[in-house]
Amino acid sequence: MTRAVEYDVVVLGAGPVGENVADRTRAAGLSTAVVESELIGGECSYWACMPSKALLRPVIARADARRLPGLNGAVQGPLDTQAVLARRDEQTSHWKDDGQVGWLDSIGARVYRGRGVLHGARKVTVHGPEGEHHTLTARHAVVVSTGSRAVLPDIPGLAGAGAWTSREATSAREAPGRLAVVGGGVVGVEMATAWQALGSQVTLLVRGPGLLPRMEPFVGEHVAEALTEAGATIRTDTAVTAVERQGGAGSGPVTLVLGDGERIEADEVLIATGRAPRTEAIGLETVGLEPGSWLTVDDSCRVKGVDWLYAVGDVNHRALLTHQGKYQARIAGAAIAARAQHVPLLESDRWGAHSATADHDAVPQVVFTDPEAAAVGLSLAEAERAGHRVRAVDYDLASVAGAGLYAENYRGHARMVVDLDREILLGVTFVGSGVGELLHSATIAVAGEVPIERLWHAVPSYPTISEIWLRLLETYREG
């Protein structure tokens, strides 16, 4: 049976991004349908942010405790892996989405279970799990927020080897004895940190010269040093040319053949080498767009060339981070509401509410390794490539009084990238224990383009690690 229904807005994808779009359009009085083929709450809630950080939190807490005299003797034993996994399961609601469904119901959004496919302008067909079909027509906007998926590279033997992606790595029921991790980005280093501490012997295989290549070089150096001290093996400038496993997942050891012919054996292999948009089967071809492509949008997140179609979150490839996707969702929801009311955006754009400018200049990210890495804005290399006249100001975090109180033998580093023509910050990077909580102050400085002379009067509390701000500013003035 096919049912036809009309809404003001139809949202494809009910992860945090799609949920936030629905929240904003419903708050503006627009009827909204949300279509989801998996769990309401999406990748972040069940296979990414929440489970990964639940796995990592005990690891980081134990590492911090081990650096404190009077406490370190009590935390020398191994982690209780099953207790950590049980808490992970609680944080994912045991992969049940009743609470998320209830929340969408509470704001008045209509949830459709099934696969949503565009079928021409403003029309979405929902193929339900029981064979039912719904045709949804959007009066004002269709929003694509279907997210991204892990990409398996074209390595001989990999497709049939039962390799882990980020989903399997965050939802595994036990620690493999030996885990090979291919990739040195955020997923690779976070999962290497977690599973090494939970009982696996981790070997990290990285094609490039270091870890976390999109951040300042010193970040990867600090993280690599800590992983090595924890017992992991890191192989840089290493390519995997083949994968061998008889019988697929769970059927025995997996062998990785390296570029020089060396063979490494593991019990599981995690591939963490990139993401692709989940747009290959949503009917983009029916509206003149390429299936499987990233969707190019303007700063209101409207797809270029299609005045009723929006793409929010990972699918637009601006910043593959949940918090940036939710930010875009707020922007898109406000823009859709204004256009539905025939209000010009420039007249109604209070505080820049319809323009996702932070995607260009002030994207923050925390990597939850031990030590943590946190960065916002441009790295030194990115600023130089963009043609800015800049200066990098560096300071040893261990020299700040608050760091010495935080932990014995504290190690860390901080850098701010200063635009010398405007004397504002273009980027800030920290690496060290507990630095994730420093990042929002840096984000405000970068997003607000706060002049250096005004930052001088933002006095950090003593003795906290945030005194690093004073030391960076002093170093800049002395330079």
Side-chain angles (χ1 to χ4, degrees):
M1 178 180 293
T2 300
R3 297 182 176 87
V5 193
E6 190 173 69
Y7 294 91
D8 291 321
V9 180
V10 177
V11 181
L12 296 182
V17 177
E19 289 177 320
N20 271 265
V21 172
D23 188 34
R24 292 305 165 112
T25 56
R26 285 297 302 129
L30 301 178
S31 60
T32 302
V34 182
V35 183
E36 177 56 60
S37 61
E38 295 188 291
L39 294 174
I40 306 297
E43 196 81 11
C44 177
S45 300
Y46 305 105
W47 300 288
C49 319
M50 297 306 292
S52 67
K53 278 45 183 187
L55 292 173
L56 285 159
R57 178 60 194 143
V59 177
I60 294 170
R62 182 183 66 166
D64 284 344
R66 284 179 168 179
R67 300 182 185 111
L68 285 174
L71 182 58
N72 56 2
V75 290
Q76 289 304 313
L79 290 168
D80 183 339
T81 300
Q82 289 307 309
V84 173
L85 296 180
R87 183 171 182 269
R88 182 270 318 268
D89 294 351
E90 291 177 2
Q91 292 297 312
T92 59
S93 302
H94 298 274
W95 288 274
K96 297 182 184 299
D97 62 4
D98 298 6
Q100 302 274 23
V101 173
W103 181 81
L104 281 174
D105 287 343
S106 75
I107 65 170
R110 173 72 161 85
V111 176
Y112 287 86
R113 299 277 193 178
R115 184 170 61 89
V117 180
L118 288 164
H119 198 73
R122 294 186 174 85
K123 290 190 181 297
V124 173
T125 299
V126 182
H127 303 275
E130 304 299 327
E132 72 277 20
H133 298 278
H134 301 272
T135 298
L136 312 182
T137 299
R139 298 184 190 94
H140 301 296
V142 174
V143 182
V144 178
S145 59
T146 48
S148 64
R149 57 179 174 79
V151 174
L152 293 180
D154 187 17
I155 298 174
L158 180 60
W164 282 7
T165 66
S166 54
R167 283 196 170 194
E168 290 77 19
T170 57
S171 62
R173 309 311 305 173
E174 60 183 10
R178 299 164 299 174
L179 175 64
V181 179
V182 181
V186 176
V187 172
V189 297
E190 286 192 346
M191 290 297 92
T193 299
W195 289 111
Q196 178 68 36
L198 291 170
S200 298
Q201 176 56 57
V202 171
T203 300
L204 194 57
L205 305 171
V206 184
R207 178 180 290 274
L211 306 183
L212 298 169
R214 295 186 179 181
M215 303 184 89
E216 298 282 11
F218 61 79
V219 172
E221 293 168 7
H222 275 270
V223 172
E225 183 179 12
L227 273 170
T228 301
E229 290 178 358
T233 298
I234 301 174
R235 304 277 298 271
T236 56
D237 297 312
T238 299
V240 177
T241 58
V243 177
E244 300 171 1
R245 190 180 214 168
Q246 298 298 321
S251 62
V254 57
T255 299
L256 289 82
V257 182
L258 307 185
D260 60 2
E262 183 181 354
R263 300 167 71 86
I264 292 178
E265 189 175 275
D267 297 296
E268 297 291 351
V269 55
L270 163 61
I271 304 297
T273 54
R275 309 284 297 178
R278 295 182 64 186
T279 60
E280 67 277 7
I282 62 168
L284 290 181
E285 67 279 5
T286 70
V287 295
L289 298 171
E290 182 182 351
S293 65
W294 303 102
L295 297 175
T296 303
V297 298
D298 62 19
D299 281 345
S300 70
C301 294
R302 186 163 63 176
V303 175
K304 291 185 177 180
V306 189
D307 64 2
W308 51 269
L309 186 64
Y310 293 73
V312 184
D314 284 10
V315 290
N316 64 34
H317 208 228
R318 285 184 158 214
L320 277 65
L321 297 161
T322 297
H323 47 272
Q324 290 299 122
K326 292 166 71 172
Y327 161 73
Q328 293 171 12
R330 297 189 290 271
I331 298 292
I336 291 167
R339 286 171 174 142
Q341 296 159 5
H342 304 291
V343 177
L345 295 194
L346 291 178
E347 295 180 13
S348 62
D349 196 11
R350 189 182 184 195
W351 303 333
H354 302 144
S355 186
T357 57
D359 289 340
H360 305 299
D361 305 317
V363 175
Q365 182 174 22
V366 178
V367 184
F368 292 85
T369 45
D370 171 40
E372 287 180 344
V376 61
L378 302 180
S379 67
L380 174 61
E382 288 170 337
E384 290 175 339
R385 283 197 298 269
H388 298 287
R389 192 171 70 90
V390 294
R391 176 184 161 201
V393 181
D394 292 276
Y395 203 84
D396 180 2
L397 261 173
S399 299
V400 175
L405 289 170
Y406 191 95
E408 292 284 290
N409 301 313
Y410 189 101
R411 287 178 290 183
H413 194 86
R415 168 175 288 179
M416 64 182 192
V417 178
V418 181
D419 182 325
L420 294 174
D421 295 319
R422 294 188 290 163
E423 285 213 311
I424 62 171
L425 303 186
L426 296 179
V428 182
T429 299
F430 306 109
V431 61
S433 297
V435 299
E437 296 301 336
L438 287 177
L439 188 59
H440 195 57
S441 58
T443 303
I444 291 170
V446 173
E449 299 183 344
V450 181
I452 292 282
E453 64 181 25
R454 290 304 306 154
L455 285 176
W456 182 254
H457 298 284
V459 182
S461 296
Y462 181 88
T464 67
I465 299 176
S466 64
E467 195 182 14
I468 186 62
W469 281 107
L470 173 60
R471 303 306 172 209
L472 286 167
L473 293 168
E474 287 177 334
T475 303
Y476 176 70
R477 290 183 66 176
E478 293 166 359

